[in-house]
Amino acid sequence: METAPEDVKTRPPAPVHITVLKAHDLKGVKGDAPVTYLRSEFNNALLGDSPKLETPPNKTTEYNFTTSFDIGAESPHSLDDVAHKPVLLTVIEILPKEKKQKEEKTSVLGQTAVDLLPLLRGECHFKVTVPLHPVHGSPLETVHPDAKPSLEVAVSVPMTLLTEPQISNGNLLRVTMEAAYCVPDSWTPTGPQYNYVSSLQIPSVGEKDSTLIFSNGVLKGGGESEPVSRQKRWPMSGISAPGAQHIPESFILSVAYEEEDGEMNRKEDKDFRIESETHKKRVTWDTERRCYLDQYATISLQKRIAECRYWPVEIMRANFSPAGKSKPGKAEKQGDEDAQISYHGVAYVNLVPLLYPGVRRLRGAYKILAYQDAEVLEKTKCHHSVLRGLARQNSLMSKLTAAPLGLNPPNVKPTPSRLTRDEKGTKEKEGSRRMSAVLRSSEVADIDPAVTNQAVSANIEGQQYVDSGTYLVLEVTLEKPLVPKRMAEEMDLKVRELIPARPQLGRRTAGAQKAVADYHSQVTSITNAILDEYCQLFGQQETSAIDVDPQVLEEQKCQLNYELNCTGKYFAFKEQLKHSVVKIVREKYLQTSAFEDRDQMQAFLSELYVYLADQMHIALNKTLFDDREEAPPAPMTDNEQLLRFAKEAEMTEDYNLAEMYYQERLARDRQRIEHWLDYGCFKLLVGDYIKAQECFHEALVLNREHVQSLLLCGIVAVIMDNNEDAEVFFEDATCVAPGSALAWTILGLFYEIQGNDIRMEMAFSEAGKLHQAAPTMERAPDCGKTVCGEASDNEATEFPEGNVPTSRGRSGSRGLSIGSRPPEETTPHTAPKSASSVVSKSKAGTHRGVAPSANHNPMPTGSSIYMEAATFLAQVNATQFVQRALSHELLSPDGGPSCQYHLMCAQVHLLRKEFDAANENLREASQVNHQNPDVWALTGHMRYMSGRKGEARQCYEHALSLVADASEMHSVYLRLGSIYLQEGEFEKAKNTYLRACKRSPTCLTWLGVGVACYRLEEMQEAEDALSEANTLNNSNAEAWGYLTLVCLKTGRQLEAEQSYKYCRKLHVQDQTLMTEIRQLQEEVGFGDPSF
């Protein structure tokens, strides 16, 4: 590949043959049988004229006229010329001579342009039929509608212009300059005519820069908008027919402002752009310039975009130079005037999106600023102005501005004279060949500082762009993306390689248990066979109604034994049992070798016989008697209650109890994704990353397209420094759910960790577009929604896979649990936030009988993608990512130091036990919104955890006095109730705990009620509450302890001793409670069986 440029230079010039085969439906000035000839031109060079032919009426004209030009290193025509310049074919009619006419007259009938782009795609020959567009005043303008003047053209080369490696490694760049809107008011369509020019530079073949010039923009007045779909124009002059100026099948297609990549794609810019593009003046070009990029030009473009990021696109207004002759002094004065650039502006186009994986198109609106050398150098590293260099070349500038693009001045006839053409000769041909819309950078001389300082004083005219709000709309398109994007199928395959699918294994009884079960089944089978034999011999008898003579039964037994022995069934039954008995010997008694001692063998056989006889009787009883056991009762707790209990245990830092609840959920149903995700997020909290990874992988096995499972797999991979695997998971999440702003945001945070700034911007940009486009209700679902999709309070709410709305925090305090972490996110009538709680509402409210309340905190409608990501990451305990998301939130235009931001920062500091920093954030949040209940709740948690329980009580009471509830009320009630108990205000403690029981009953809430009632000497109520607490969690030692006190007070010795036994067995930690129990036992004289 490294020899590709040398290969291009050493290859001999390749001739390109243009053959015009036929012409259809020609009509001349003097009739339907005109005498015509063809003129073929390419790159402002005349290729040749065909012989004169007379066209038969209503028949085709057989030209069969071939011209050619060379493409190669020594040829004046380059591959880039083939990319953006067509072959111009002009049909010219020779008019009949009139009397006394010496020279023949000609008239141009029509013109067409043949696109040579297929040659750059590896084609050696192609054939097209192109329409013949009439020039102004041509008789072809009045042809019958059914007649379609056209030319059949064949293009061929002896060998492909590019080799396969060059085609695969090269690229084709298209730059479409559409229009500049809201131009300065001093520009008027009437009066003197000006040439409106824009330009930019790009890397070209041979490590040289090509300067793209878009001249002859058309100034239009306001009043109507441009057509939605309009055809693009060729970037060259000399096309006489207006229809031939347009590139076939190439249209400008507008998109929604929010989907653009420019600077003015925000919602606040929409009204201004609609007003500007409808009622304001504009300059339109609608011109597309193609550029062929070889391998090295493509690499150079990619490198320079990464280095410079911004690309300068210059714009100016220039005077049209007169085409006539002038005196020398006047010419010098005119040259000086041409060298002065008026209205010199620049737009900084961010081409970084072209480095995003899979991106081939960039379109947007960019503000035009006054051109300042220092600013351009700082932003783009460009040392000189392209337009200023062109202005210094006075002669070139005069040619450039001589006539508008594709239009001849009114005083020039579009009828070329053949005699004049012949007289011009080769010299003019060479001069016109050098005249091109694209000028190599070598032609632009360096600008000397003195001239620069003289040309650029105070750019007052350029400042009018800023005052008017002028912006430029352009489009940049690539044939192939600079950075290929991995396909969704590839990402799915990589995920399957990381987590291979495995079938669900059925439950199997193995070892000794299976051997005994097989023995039982064989005994049952033999029993049924013997009963059938008995019925055949003696018939069925109702033994329950009559007494059977024992002598008769003995005779029947002897006869049955005789029949079984005679028929051989007895030996068959023994053989049937033999295999199951052997399995019991091997699996139950682990006996696989022969006995060396006979006595030992006899002892083993005796033991085996007794065991087999016992098991035989067990099997017979199951077969002959219907004594089936009742089904076990349904569990008293459901999955949502277990989740609530687990979250409460996390809050109190009882991680062993929390793990037990999570494992209980998995034991009940291992096929639910949220059970695995919740358990995995708990393992993230306690730092067991390997177990968390296993849980997330199990969830992903259940559903390969579950977005949250993919994100969590990627998060834990980052924590474990498996960045390659993490990238696979994150990218697959964006492939599965391309409309998820959350997935794109987390992908951007990952790229930031990797130091890949370009891809980070790509991900954040995509997330921002999705965030703006999403409806408000979809972007801000109820904060009680859960990650994995469970039923709501009243109805099931389901979302399609991969199209999952992200969560939004209410008042910003959702996420980490208090105690070991800041508080969990719950609403007054929903279950606690699970690790999988971002998508649909929890159904826990149905178990509490609480109707939805109208006192919800309003949603932060201005929440940014970073705050939404931080909320989700806090919910799943991915604290490593939370700080990064919050840092972006602080700098985001949609974010900033809001109340929600300060609350989230306070939660992170509480997790780290950084109470001073948390207090500072809470103080800032209070200044922003002092009526936010989450501010007071979190402040109470901070002071409770730091030991200032009196101050915490005041904060909790203030939070409860507000109209709206805090996002997470359970911990507020628990901690406020415990403060009341410690301060001896038992009635307030009772009421507080009862409110907690009404919202979300748990063991601790009922325990608080029971303790408060006991202290109030309400023994019956205390016993009921403590019994309820014991039902919800029979391993709570404190509940057994207070039940012991109640039983001692009520004089129930047996129950007191049983409760005390469990209290001691569970190792109660409250020594004050144990002292109180012992003192009461001594007073009543019972309760401790040990004395």
Side-chain angles (χ1 to χ4, degrees):
M1 298 299 175
E2 296 181 356
T3 60
E6 287 75 5
D7 181 55
V8 173
K9 294 178 182 179
T10 55
R11 290 180 65 183
V16 179
H17 301 287
I18 313 296
T19 302
V20 181
L21 303 174
K22 301 177 182 178
H24 300 274
D25 298 326
L26 294 182
K27 180 181 179 181
V29 176
K30 299 298 183 178
D32 294 336
V35 177
T36 61
Y37 67 93
L38 278 170
R39 175 170 297 167
S40 178
E41 299 171 272
F42 178 72
N43 194 16
N44 293 325
L46 178 65
L47 301 182
D49 290 342
S50 71
K52 304 174 185 178
L53 294 177
E54 182 176 356
T55 302
N58 301 324
K59 291 186 179 180
T60 61
T61 305
E62 301 286 344
Y63 283 109
N64 292 320
F65 170 62
T66 301
T67 56
S68 64
F69 60 91
D70 293 339
I71 295 291
E74 300 178 357
S75 172
H77 311 295
S78 64
L79 293 174
D80 189 63
D81 293 328
V82 175
H84 78 279
K85 293 182 179 179
V87 172
L88 294 181
L89 299 175
T90 308
V91 178
I92 303 174
E93 180 185 8
I94 299 177
L95 301 177
K97 288 185 178 181
E98 298 177 359
K99 294 181 179 179
K100 299 181 180 180
Q101 179 180 341
K102 296 181 180 179
E103 299 178 358
E104 61 182 16
K105 293 184 179 181
T106 61
S107 174
V108 177
L109 295 180
Q111 197 174 47
T112 189
V114 180
D115 194 355
L116 301 180
L117 189 60
L119 297 179
L120 296 182
R121 292 174 174 162
E123 296 187 24
C124 290
H125 55 82
F126 63 92
K127 182 179 178 181
V128 292
T129 300
V130 290
L132 186 62
H133 302 282
V135 299
H136 291 297
S138 170
L140 295 181
E141 291 182 326
T142 59
V143 296
H144 193 273
D146 293 338
K148 297 180 180 180
S150 59
L151 298 178
E152 291 186 20
V153 183
V155 181
S156 63
V157 290
M159 58 183 297
T160 57
L161 298 182
L162 299 174
T163 62
E164 287 296 331
Q166 289 173 340
I167 294 175
S168 60
N169 296 325
N171 212 327
L172 185 69
L173 176 71
R174 291 180 170 92
V175 179
T176 302
M177 195 66 62
E178 297 185 17
Y181 292 97
C182 201
V183 296
D185 294 334
S186 58
W187 293 8
T188 57
T190 59
Q193 297 299 306
Y194 297 95
N195 187 12
Y196 301 94
V197 184
S198 60
S199 70
L200 71 156
Q201 281 188 333
I202 62 163
S204 183
V205 180
E207 301 181 357
K208 295 181 180 180
D209 285 350
S210 291
T211 302
L212 277 59
I213 304 295
F214 299 88
S215 61
N216 302 301
V218 180
L219 178 62
K220 298 181 179 180
E224 62 179 10
S225 58
E226 296 294 317
V228 176
S229 175
R230 55 191 188 274
Q231 214 164 359
K232 299 178 183 179
R233 300 159 60 95
W234 291 106
M236 57 179 296
S237 59
I239 302 179
S240 304
Q245 297 171 5
H246 298 108
I247 303 175
E249 300 179 359
S250 184
F251 296 90
I252 296 175
L253 301 176
S254 60
V255 297
Y257 297 139
E258 295 81 4
E259 298 178 8
E260 292 182 350
D261 302 287
E263 302 171 344
M264 306 181 67
N265 57 355
R266 301 175 62 84
K267 286 188 175 181
E268 49 266 32
D269 300 323
K270 185 174 182 179
D271 292 339
F272 173 74
R273 289 193 59 180
I274 292 175
E275 173 72 15
S276 300
E277 295 173 18
T278 305
H279 303 291
K280 301 287 185 179
K281 288 180 288 186
R282 80 288 307 265
V283 174
T284 61
W285 288 275
D286 293 343
T287 302
E288 177 184 272
R289 170 64 161 88
R290 302 170 183 164
C291 301
Y292 168 70
L293 306 178
D294 63 2
Q295 178 184 3
Y296 292 91
T298 303
I299 296 174
S300 177
L301 175 65
Q302 186 172 350
K303 182 179 179 181
R304 288 173 59 179
I305 292 176
E307 292 176 351
C308 302
R309 303 176 69 86
Y310 291 100
W311 221 264
V313 179
E314 299 180 43
I315 184 174
M316 73 169 185
R317 190 182 77 170
N319 296 319
F320 279 114
S321 298
K325 296 181 180 180
S326 60
K327 298 180 181 179
K330 187 176 181 180
E332 293 177 3
K333 183 178 180 181
Q334 182 66 40
D336 294 337
E337 293 176 357
D338 289 340
Q340 300 295 326
I341 296 179
S342 62
Y343 292 95
H344 194 189
V346 62
Y348 299 103
V349 180
N350 185 3
L351 294 184
V352 170
L354 294 179
L355 298 185
Y356 298 164
V359 173
R360 298 188 302 109
R361 180 174 182 263
L362 180 148
R363 183 182 188 274
Y366 301 89
K367 296 178 181 178
I368 300 179
L369 308 176
Y371 190 96
Q372 302 292 342
D373 289 317
E375 183 182 18
V376 173
L377 178 61
E378 178 184 359
K379 285 191 174 184
T380 67
K381 300 181 181 179
C382 291
H383 296 271
H384 61 272
S385 167
V386 176
L387 290 181
R388 197 178 298 145
L390 294 177
R392 292 181 68 247
Q393 300 179 5
N394 189 29
S395 60
L396 185 60
M397 197 67 179
S398 298
K399 293 182 180 180
L400 181 65
T401 59
L405 177 65
L407 298 175
N408 291 322
N411 59 345
V412 179
K413 292 182 63 177
T415 306
S417 171
R418 184 166 184 173
L419 180 61
T420 306
R421 182 191 71 243
D422 293 339
E423 290 176 349
K424 286 181 180 178
T426 309
K427 187 178 295 185
E428 183 178 0
K429 211 180 300 179
E430 290 296 329
S432 63
R433 182 181 302 137
R434 289 193 300 269
M435 176 60 194
S436 172
V438 175
L439 304 173
R440 301 292 184 263
S441 61
S442 58
E443 298 174 3
V444 182
D446 292 335
I447 303 171
D448 124 303
V451 177
T452 301
N453 294 333
Q454 182 180 0
V456 183
S457 52
N459 194 351
I460 300 176
E461 293 179 334
Q463 186 62 29
Q464 294 187 30
Y465 292 124
V466 181
D467 299 337
S468 301
T470 309
Y471 61 92
L472 188 68
V473 179
L474 58 84
E475 177 184 85
V476 180
T477 308
L478 290 163
E479 185 101 328
K480 295 176 288 187
L482 294 176
V483 180
K485 182 179 180 180
R486 289 187 284 193
M487 303 299 293
E489 294 78 7
E490 179 185 355
M491 301 305 304
D492 183 64
L493 181 61
K494 286 183 176 292
V495 171
R496 292 180 184 275
E497 291 176 355
L498 293 174
I499 308 176
R502 50 184 179 274
Q504 188 69 25
L505 299 178
R507 294 182 178 271
R508 294 183 180 181
T509 306
Q513 186 179 359
K514 178 172 176 55
V516 175
D518 289 345
Y519 177 74
H520 285 181
S521 64
Q522 296 302 328
V523 170
T524 301
S525 175
I526 294 172
T527 300
N528 292 330
I530 293 175
L531 287 175
D532 292 340
E533 189 71 21
Y534 178 84
C535 291
Q536 290 179 4
L537 290 175
F538 308 109
Q540 294 183 357
Q541 300 179 5
E542 293 293 336
T543 57
S544 61
I546 59 174
D547 294 332
V548 181
D549 188 358
Q551 184 66 28
V552 175
L553 287 177
E554 186 65 26
E555 292 177 358
Q556 291 179 351
K557 178 181 177 181
C558 293
Q559 186 177 353
L560 179 61
N561 286 334
Y562 176 79
E563 290 295 331
L564 292 176
N565 281 282
C566 291
T567 58
K569 292 181 179 180
Y570 178 79
F571 300 100
F573 292 153
K574 286 203 303 182
E575 291 295 326
Q576 185 176 347
L577 274 176
K578 183 184 294 183
H579 181 67
S580 60
V581 173
V582 171
K583 289 176 64 177
I584 288 178
V585 172
R586 292 178 177 175
E587 301 293 340
K588 177 71 177 177
Y589 292 96
L590 305 178
Q591 188 63 45
T592 58
S593 59
F595 290 96
E596 297 178 359
D597 187 358
R598 186 175 182 83
D599 294 337
Q600 186 181 4
M601 183 182 69
Q602 289 298 329
F604 172 74
L605 291 177
S606 298
E607 182 183 357
L608 177 63
Y609 176 79
V610 172
Y611 179 78
L612 292 177
D614 291 341
Q615 294 299 320
M616 179 188 67
H617 288 108
I618 293 174
L620 288 175
N621 290 333
K622 289 181 179 180
T623 303
L624 300 177
F625 304 100
D626 188 9
D627 55 351
R628 289 181 241 170
E629 298 179 359
E630 295 183 0
M636 300 186 66
T637 55
D638 59 12
N639 290 325
E640 289 306 318
Q641 288 176 310
L642 290 175
L643 176 62
R644 190 188 317 135
F645 300 161
K647 293 298 181 181
E648 185 182 66
E650 289 181 19
M651 184 191 69
T652 58
E653 299 187 21
D654 191 350
Y655 295 131
N656 291 331
L657 180 61
E659 183 166 13
M660 184 195 73
Y661 286 128
Y662 285 123
Q663 290 177 346
E664 176 66 21
R665 296 178 80 214
L666 280 174
R668 292 188 182 183
D669 190 354
R670 300 174 64 88
Q671 301 301 311
R672 296 189 66 174
I673 295 177
E674 62 268 23
H675 291 181
W676 288 106
L677 294 185
D678 294 339
Y679 188 32
C681 292
F682 167 74
K683 286 300 183 180
L684 278 183
L685 174 65
V686 299
D688 190 353
Y689 302 130
I690 295 178
K691 191 66 177 179
Q693 185 182 51
E694 293 177 1
C695 294
F696 298 147
H697 285 189
E698 289 290 340
L700 196 57
V701 167
L702 295 176
N703 185 353
R704 296 283 182 179
E705 296 185 351
H706 193 262
V707 180
Q708 281 74 25
S709 299
L710 288 167
L711 293 177
L712 290 172
C713 286
I715 288 170
V716 75
V718 172
I719 295 173
M720 299 177 69
D721 292 330
N722 296 330
N723 292 325
E724 292 183 2
D725 296 349
E727 185 174 11
V728 170
F729 288 122
F730 288 139
E731 288 192 5
D732 192 39
T734 58
C735 292
V736 169
S740 172
L742 175 64
W744 285 105
T745 305
I746 296 180
L747 178 62
L749 295 176
F750 167 74
Y751 283 138
E752 182 187 26
I753 295 174
Q754 295 293 99
N756 193 334
D757 295 339
I758 291 177
R759 294 202 177 188
M760 177 192 70
E761 292 181 10
M762 176 269 297
F764 287 155
S765 175
E766 186 67 23
K769 291 179 183 178
L770 294 171
H771 182 77
Q772 289 185 8
T776 303
M777 292 303 294
E778 183 178 338
R779 291 208 320 264
D782 192 295
C783 61
K785 294 195 173 184
T786 61
V787 170
C788 278
E790 302 169 36
S792 66
D793 293 341
N794 301 318
E795 61 180 355
T797 305
E798 298 182 355
F799 298 91
E801 288 293 340
N803 189 17
V804 181
T806 57
S807 68
R808 292 169 67 91
R810 287 172 58 243
S811 303
S813 65
R814 305 189 345 162
L816 310 170
S817 64
I818 295 298
S820 63
R821 53 180 187 159
E824 286 298 323
E825 291 292 320
T826 54
T827 56
H829 44 271
T830 56
K833 266 297 177 198
S834 75
S836 54
S837 63
V838 184
V839 173
S840 62
K841 293 182 180 179
S842 168
K843 61 181 180 182
T846 59
H847 303 286
R848 297 190 291 271
V850 182
S853 169
N855 294 331
H856 283 193
N857 295 324
M859 288 290 178
T861 55
S863 180
S864 69
I865 57 174
Y866 307 110
M867 182 55 67
E868 292 181 0
T871 302
F872 169 79
L873 294 168
Q875 290 166 0
V876 299
N877 305 320
T879 55
Q880 295 85 346
F881 281 77
V882 175
Q883 281 293 94
R884 292 185 176 274
L886 290 178
S887 64
H888 284 282
E889 168 70 13
L890 188 61
L891 302 175
S892 171
D894 296 332
S898 62
C899 181
Q900 189 180 13
Y901 167 80
H902 289 299
L903 287 173
M904 186 65 71
C905 290
Q907 291 176 356
V908 175
H909 291 307
L910 284 177
L911 172 64
R912 300 172 179 172
K913 304 297 176 64
E914 299 170 352
F915 299 123
D916 292 338
N919 184 59
E920 181 64 23
N921 283 118
L922 290 171
R923 186 181 63 81
E924 295 288 343
S926 178
Q927 292 179 357
V928 176
N929 183 6
H930 68 280
Q931 294 185 353
N932 190 327
D934 287 320
V935 175
W936 292 98
L938 271 181
T939 305
H941 293 324
M942 183 269 299
R943 293 175 179 175
Y944 184 92
M945 295 168 65
S946 60
R948 297 179 290 171
K949 295 186 178 180
E951 299 177 6
R953 168 182 171 172
Q954 296 176 2
C955 294
Y956 290 144
E957 289 176 343
H958 188 95
L960 293 177
S961 67
L962 296 175
V963 176
D965 290 332
S967 297
E968 203 285 311
M969 294 295 295
H970 190 72
S971 58
V972 174
Y973 286 128
L974 283 182
R975 288 178 172 170
L976 181 60
S978 68
I979 294 174
Y980 284 147
L981 286 178
Q982 293 173 13
E983 296 180 353
E985 300 187 23
F986 304 122
E987 190 65 38
K988 290 184 177 180
K990 175 184 174 181
N991 294 332
T992 302
Y993 279 119
L994 282 175
R995 292 173 69 181
C997 291
K998 185 177 181 181
R999 299 170 68 92
S1000 53
T1002 64
C1003 173
L1004 293 185
T1005 58
W1006 283 115
L1007 175 61
V1009 175
V1011 173
C1013 291
Y1014 174 78
R1015 300 302 179 191
L1016 293 171
E1017 297 185 356
E1018 299 173 355
M1019 296 303 164
Q1020 184 60 47
E1021 290 83 353
E1023 183 177 0
D1024 292 342
L1026 292 171
S1027 298
E1028 186 68 23
N1030 189 266
T1031 302
L1032 294 176
N1033 181 12
N1034 60 7
S1035 62
N1036 189 293
E1038 194 173 349
W1040 286 110
Y1042 278 99
L1043 278 173
T1044 302
L1045 291 175
V1046 171
C1047 294
L1048 290 173
K1049 284 280 189 179
T1050 55
R1052 291 177 288 176
Q1053 180 178 354
L1054 179 61
E1055 295 177 2
E1057 291 178 353
Q1058 292 292 330
S1059 299
Y1060 181 68
K1061 178 182 69 174
Y1062 284 110
C1063 180
R1064 291 283 300 273
K1065 183 178 179 180
L1066 294 171
H1067 306 289
V1068 66
Q1069 301 296 322
D1070 191 349
Q1071 295 303 318
T1072 303
L1073 176 61
M1074 288 301 298
T1075 302
E1076 185 178 1
I1077 291 174
R1078 292 191 184 98
Q1079 291 176 353
L1080 189 57
Q1081 288 172 343
E1082 293 176 358
E1083 290 179 8
V1084 299
F1086 61 86
D1088 187 355
S1090 62
F1091 63 87

